[in-house]
Amino acid sequence: MIIVPEREIAALISEEAAYEAVEAVFAAMARGQAVNFPVVREAIGHAEALYGFKSGFDRAGLVLGVKAGGYWPGNMARGLTNHQSSVFLFDPDTGMVSAMVGANLLTALRTAAAAAVSVRHLARKDARVLGMLGAGHQSAYQLRAVAKQRQFEKVVGWNMHPEMLGRLAETAAEVGLPFEAVSLEGLGAQADVIVTITSSFAPSLMADMVRPGTHLACMGTDTKGKQEVEAALLARARVFCDERAQSITIGEAQHAVAAGLIRAEDIVELGAVVAGIDPGRRSDDEITLFDGTGVALQDLAVAAKAVTVAQARGVAVEVAV
Ligand code: NAD
């Protein structure tokens, strides 16, 4: 069994590698070659923690595994990350455990990669202004990955807690783009691409704030009850997702579907666009909205890549089982 510790991940997996892994596994899902199993997520009644599993199997890449972990709100006070997760991979021929991989950084990289895949395949080619709604831990990874997908000239950002906007300003500077803090209305009026990455349970961005032709990557809603954008915006948009079953239960689409504003069967899985099965954006005026909930196969794809690179570089720890 191979162990790839969390501390090694940053040197093993680049944004580009995460992008390639996620794009490929989305396409495998669309071709019916890869499947996610139902998600388990439970409050454990200890340390106010939420704990669960996301698992799946990629038959094309022969990657079988599970991401286990969750959210421990008291960790920050102990100098630890609140989100904690590890991926376990298994030999699909025998079921024997083959690897354990630290998955905290991998989670941020694979989430940002999903947004980036949506921008590459769905945003207008002439997109120039990137709008960021949210300035928490994930936002920096999102900004870095998405900024590479178009020739952006500027980043505009809004956050409910303005004192956090420094993170967006610093990350924009890091990727060589000017940053401007704006109102929500200003964000909708200027941005060609909008990434939402908050933990909100009520919509911030309203349907009438968004211009025709905008692409949105809604990445923060990954739990029942969370919501970042008004449900009516999904009715104005062509809606895409990572996986439909998750999108309508724990994603942004849960609200629009429940309100009867859109139909589940009209939501297109992004992998279908990557695989050339769906045309994606159909006109420059169309609003496209990607509902990214985070699927197991993304985690397994980047973890498997980390194992391969770790073995090649000799940094994988081998343990007899
Ligand atoms: P964080 O705690 O570091 O930041 C939270 C962000 O949400 C901040 O910008 C904060 O100002 C904002 N916020 C909090 N309450 C709000 C409210 N009521 N209205 C508007 N904004 C509010 O969190 P993070 O690690 O950056 O994660 C952000 C979200 O992304 C979380 O909901 C997390 O569960 C989700 N997430 C999704 C995926 C996925 O695959 N889709 C993966 C990882 C994290």
Side-chain angles (χ1 to χ4, degrees):
M1 173 188 180
I2 302 293
I3 297 177
V4 186
E6 181 69 43
R7 64 171 185 274
E8 302 289 352
I9 298 294
L12 297 175
I13 294 288
S14 64
E15 258 162 39
E16 289 75 17
Y19 181 98
E20 281 166 22
V22 168
E23 187 179 56
V25 84
F26 279 171
M29 283 167 61
R31 294 191 196 101
Q33 295 170 323
V35 62
N36 295 292
F37 303 131
V39 175
V40 173
R41 197 164 162 88
E42 299 287 338
I44 60 172
H46 178 80
E48 293 175 58
L50 283 175
Y51 169 70
F53 311 104
K54 283 186 169 179
S55 65
F57 181 41
D58 175 0
R59 264 194 306 277
L62 290 181
V63 181
L64 175 68
V66 58
K67 179 166 91 167
Y71 187 74
W72 275 258
N75 276 8
M76 197 92 89
R78 301 170 179 224
L80 299 168
T81 309
N82 287 357
H83 288 275
Q84 288 291 334
S85 56
S86 308
V87 167
F88 292 83
L89 299 174
F90 302 92
D91 178 345
D93 294 321
T94 62
M96 282 184 72
V97 63
S98 59
M100 190 198 108
V101 185
N104 293 348
L105 176 58
L106 284 180
T107 298
L109 291 172
R110 66 76 148 142
T111 306
V117 172
S118 84
V119 172
R120 184 172 301 180
H121 289 276
L122 296 172
R124 287 191 340 264
K125 296 280 182 291
D126 64 350
R128 291 292 176 267
V129 178
L130 169 58
M132 295 294 306
L133 200 167
H137 178 71
Q138 302 290 334
S139 66
Y141 297 92
Q142 293 283 326
L143 201 165
R144 280 188 208 109
V146 167
K148 293 199 171 107
Q149 304 308 322
R150 290 291 183 268
Q151 289 175 323
F152 289 110
E153 292 168 355
K154 179 181 177 184
V155 179
V156 295
W158 179 89
N159 194 49
M160 177 169 250
H161 308 99
E163 67 278 10
M164 294 169 78
L165 284 169
R167 177 181 269 126
L168 294 180
E170 280 164 27
T171 315
E174 184 190 309
V175 299
L177 291 171
F179 175 77
E180 186 189 338
V182 291
S183 63
L184 274 171
E185 290 77 6
L187 184 116
Q190 288 196 55
D192 303 305
V193 169
I194 299 176
V195 175
T196 65
I197 185 72
T198 71
S199 50
S200 179
F201 280 81
S204 305
L205 194 68
M206 298 298 153
D208 63 5
M209 293 174 178
V210 175
R211 291 182 303 167
T214 303
H215 172 68
L216 297 104
C218 297
M219 306 304 297
T221 296
D222 57 358
T223 303
K224 198 169 164 48
K226 283 188 185 173
Q227 186 173 11
E228 302 190 280
V229 305
E230 191 181 19
L233 179 57
L234 280 80
R236 274 187 72 198
R238 185 144 199 257
V239 181
F240 300 82
C241 67
D242 41 21
E243 192 201 69
R244 195 182 292 134
Q246 285 193 195
S247 170
I248 64 173
T249 50
I250 59 170
E252 202 59 42
Q254 63 182 293
H255 308 287
V257 170
L261 296 172
I262 62 168
R263 298 184 315 167
E265 56 269 36
D266 293 335
I267 302 173
V268 180
E269 293 191 358
L270 182 57
V273 182
V274 176
I277 299 165
D278 183 278
R281 167 177 292 280
R282 294 171 304 191
S283 77
D284 278 355
D285 283 348
E286 195 164 55
I287 295 174
T288 51
L289 186 149
F290 172 63
D291 183 9
T293 56
V295 294
L297 287 165
Q298 286 169 256
D299 296 302
L300 305 186
V302 289
K305 202 159 231 182
V307 170
T308 306
V309 181
Q311 282 179 299
R313 293 206 195 146
V315 296
V317 181
E318 279 212 57
V319 181
V321 284

